[in-house]
Amino acid sequence: MSAFSDYILYFDESGSPDLSHIDPDYPLFVLAAVLVSKEDYVSRIVPAVQRLKFDFVGHDQIILHEVDIRKQDAAFAFLRRDNAVRLDFMARVSTLVEQATVEAICAVIRKDELKSRYFRPFDPYEIAMQFCLEMATARLLDLGQTGREICAVFERRGLKEDNELELAFRRIVAGDAKLKRGTNNRHRISLLQKVQWVPHFVSKKANSSGLQLADLIARPIGLSILRPGQPNRAFETIRPKIAKGMLKCFP
């Protein structure tokens, strides 16, 4: 049996983890991960993403970025010029997400409530990452990945931020994090150490299909928590991919 896991996780976020400036219209930090088997990734998901890009822009160097698609900005300004093309593109993106053989794991941090409830709140990114890693580990163990090396892929944000995030990541998986202490802390530490977590930080320019899928699902999940009564077609596409217990909101 290979030391490498049969699965890989790609992480992306929606919103800022900064607690000093909270957007009243989106007071959330969302960390979303897509868990995917490597076999499905190379045989189905990457080809589907590439086909979408070739069909609409003629090359595969465009990067699917939710905010640019939503605002029809940057490389997606072409969506403004033809309504039929825009509708077709949005339908294809929805189909891409719907047919992607991935599982979604997500943590949503309500920053306004976090700040109001705790005198010295922990960093929202670290809280969200701990929740996601705990949920992902439990799922990976169910999938028979005990003892295997699991890659967690994050998009680079900046040297300082990446170094801080990697340090937090390694503290969490080593059981040294000071987040969310409780009576079941030993169980959580033991759980996390049943696989071998390895973080990787890559540039957006790497054009990773997995990171782009994570980007596409993060905001719709956040909006489903922020405005649960509002129609959210994107979330309805994502909802079946979120297994029970794989979406955590805090506080």
Side-chain angles (χ1 to χ4, degrees):
M1 182 175 68
S2 171
F4 300 123
S5 172
D6 300 321
Y7 296 83
I8 188 167
L9 280 101
Y10 295 92
F11 287 83
D12 206 353
E13 67 265 15
S14 174
S16 167
D18 186 3
L19 288 173
S20 62
H21 297 92
I22 298 178
D23 181 354
D25 295 325
Y26 195 78
L28 305 177
F29 174 73
V30 181
L31 184 63
V34 292
L35 171 66
V36 58
S37 81
K38 294 173 182 175
E39 179 60 34
D40 283 340
Y41 187 74
V42 298
S43 63
R44 297 182 180 88
I45 291 173
V46 172
V49 172
Q50 300 299 86
R51 174 56 61 190
L52 173 73
K53 295 177 179 183
F54 283 132
D55 286 351
F56 282 91
V57 296
H59 58 80
D60 62 350
Q61 297 308 298
I62 194 170
I63 295 173
L64 301 177
H65 192 207
E66 188 273 342
V67 66
D68 291 336
I69 295 172
R70 175 164 40 91
K71 294 181 177 180
Q72 300 172 41
D73 201 4
F76 297 92
F78 73 92
L79 297 175
R80 301 176 189 171
R81 296 192 288 269
D82 189 321
N83 190 54
V85 170
R86 182 182 65 81
L87 292 174
D88 188 22
F89 178 81
M90 297 307 295
R92 285 281 300 277
V93 170
S94 180
T95 298
L96 173 71
V97 174
E98 182 180 13
Q99 294 182 350
T101 47
V102 304
E103 297 182 29
I105 298 168
C106 187
V108 179
I109 308 301
R110 300 182 179 98
K111 296 196 301 177
D112 48 353
E113 295 187 29
L114 180 71
K115 192 172 181 180
S116 66
R117 289 194 194 187
Y118 297 90
F119 178 64
R120 292 181 179 173
F122 288 115
D123 177 72
Y125 206 128
E126 293 190 35
I127 299 172
M129 185 162 57
Q130 177 157 334
F131 285 138
C132 284
L133 289 174
E134 289 172 357
M135 292 185 288
T137 301
R139 181 64 182 129
L140 286 161
L141 296 179
D142 288 342
L143 292 167
Q145 303 302 298
T146 302
R148 310 281 285 276
E149 182 178 299
I150 313 293
C151 294
V153 183
F154 298 85
E155 185 177 298
R156 285 181 183 163
R157 297 182 297 162
L159 182 60
K160 179 177 181 292
E161 294 87 347
D162 293 347
N163 286 341
E164 290 174 349
L165 183 60
E166 181 173 358
L167 181 60
F169 182 100
R170 295 191 182 280
R171 282 200 307 262
I172 290 168
V173 299
D176 295 332
K178 298 179 180 180
L179 310 176
K180 287 289 293 169
R181 293 302 189 190
T183 56
N184 65 342
N185 187 54
R186 285 187 180 179
H187 169 73
R188 293 201 309 272
I189 293 173
S190 174
L191 182 79
L192 286 165
Q193 294 177 345
K194 288 183 178 180
V195 298
Q196 299 177 47
W197 283 106
V198 178
H200 289 277
F201 298 86
V202 301
S203 168
K204 184 183 288 292
K205 293 179 181 179
N207 208 343
S208 163
S209 297
L211 286 178
Q212 289 167 77
L213 277 175
D215 176 275
L216 290 172
I217 72 170
R219 183 177 171 84
I221 292 175
L223 290 175
S224 76
I225 301 299
L226 184 63
R227 306 183 191 116
Q230 177 177 297
N232 187 337
R233 292 176 62 186
F235 179 69
E236 292 308 314
T237 301
I238 299 162
R239 187 199 297 270
K241 302 184 182 301
I242 306 173
K244 183 179 180 181
M246 294 295 131
L247 172 57
K248 175 71 175 180
C249 300
F250 183 82

